[in-house]
């Protein structure tokens, strides 16, 4: 099964672009729009986390079927988190944080057999995207949320 990061990563970048443009689109900056209970900026903000919820359920089922504790923990934790958020119609609050999936895309190429130079490039892409998405952008988004709230 192809991993959803190939879809969710780039779409999360699009959500981030929309959020950064929210003043032009809706007249109010993010995350202030969300904190003041405004509706989702786009339908993509609502739909995107549901893709991850579906993937989490598949992860959980695969883990149970193959008795893989890492898949069970990953699938169960994401299912609980995204299930709770979705059941409260708050998917748009976390859509941009799915930008973390961008760093997962290069990992898909580690399964391929490339020459050493290409593999070095894949590893560098992973390193840069991991640091950029998970250690810079997402913490910044949470910081903006906290100082706005």
């Amino acid at each position: 099964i192809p991993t959803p990061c190939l879809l969710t990563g780039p779409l999360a970048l699009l959500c981030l672009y929309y959020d950064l443009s929210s003043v032009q689109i809706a007249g109010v900056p993010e995350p202030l729009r969300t904190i003041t209970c405004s509706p989702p900026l786009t339908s993509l903000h609502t739909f995107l986390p549901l893709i991850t919820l579906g993937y989490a359920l598949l992860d959980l089922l695969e883990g149970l079927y193959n008795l893989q504790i890492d898949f069970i923990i990953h699938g169960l934790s994401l299912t609980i988190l995204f299930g709770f958020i979705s059941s409260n119609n708050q998917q748009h609050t976390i859509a941009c944080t799915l930008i973390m999936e961008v760093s997962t895309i290069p990992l898909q190429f580690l399964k391929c057999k490339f020459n050493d130079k290409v593999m070095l490039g894949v590893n560098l892409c992973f390193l840069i995207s991991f640091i950029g998405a998970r250690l810079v952008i997402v913490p910044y988004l949470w910081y903006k949320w906290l100082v706005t709230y």
Side-chain angles (χ1 to χ4, degrees):
I1 298 174
T3 61
C5 66
L6 299 172
L7 180 64
T8 57
L11 290 177
L13 283 170
L14 186 58
C15 282
L16 182 60
Y17 170 76
Y18 286 141
D19 276 15
L20 294 173
S21 305
S22 65
V23 172
Q24 292 85 0
I25 296 170
V28 181
E30 282 294 350
L32 183 60
R33 283 190 73 262
T34 300
I35 291 171
T36 57
C37 299
S38 297
L41 191 58
T42 68
S43 57
L44 180 61
H45 284 77
T46 301
F47 179 72
L48 185 59
L50 296 176
I51 296 171
T52 300
L53 177 58
Y55 173 64
L57 289 168
L58 283 176
D59 241 11
L60 177 59
L61 292 174
E62 184 176 342
L64 292 170
Y65 181 78
N66 295 317
L67 298 175
Q68 293 175 294
I69 192 69
D70 55 337
F71 274 69
I72 293 170
I73 292 170
H74 185 256
L76 187 61
S77 60
L78 283 178
T79 298
I80 291 169
L81 175 68
F82 281 80
F84 177 77
I85 290 169
S86 299
S87 69
N88 289 293
N89 292 321
Q90 296 299 310
Q91 304 94 299
H92 61 285
T93 62
I94 59 165
C96 288
T97 62
L98 291 174
I99 196 170
M100 289 186 281
E101 295 283 351
V102 168
S103 69
T104 309
I105 295 171
L107 294 180
Q108 304 309 305
F109 295 101
L110 293 179
K111 300 172 189 170
C112 302
K113 303 289 183 200
F114 294 118
N115 66 44
D116 291 343
K117 287 183 181 181
V118 172
M119 292 311 293
L120 177 63
V122 168
N123 285 318
L124 285 173
C125 285
F126 170 71
L127 178 66
I128 291 166
S129 61
F130 185 92
I131 291 170
R134 296 176 187 248
L135 301 179
V136 176
I137 295 173
V138 171
Y140 175 71
L141 293 173
W142 285 113
Y143 169 77
K144 275 181 55 176
W145 182 277
L146 290 172
V147 297
T148 303
Y149 194 72

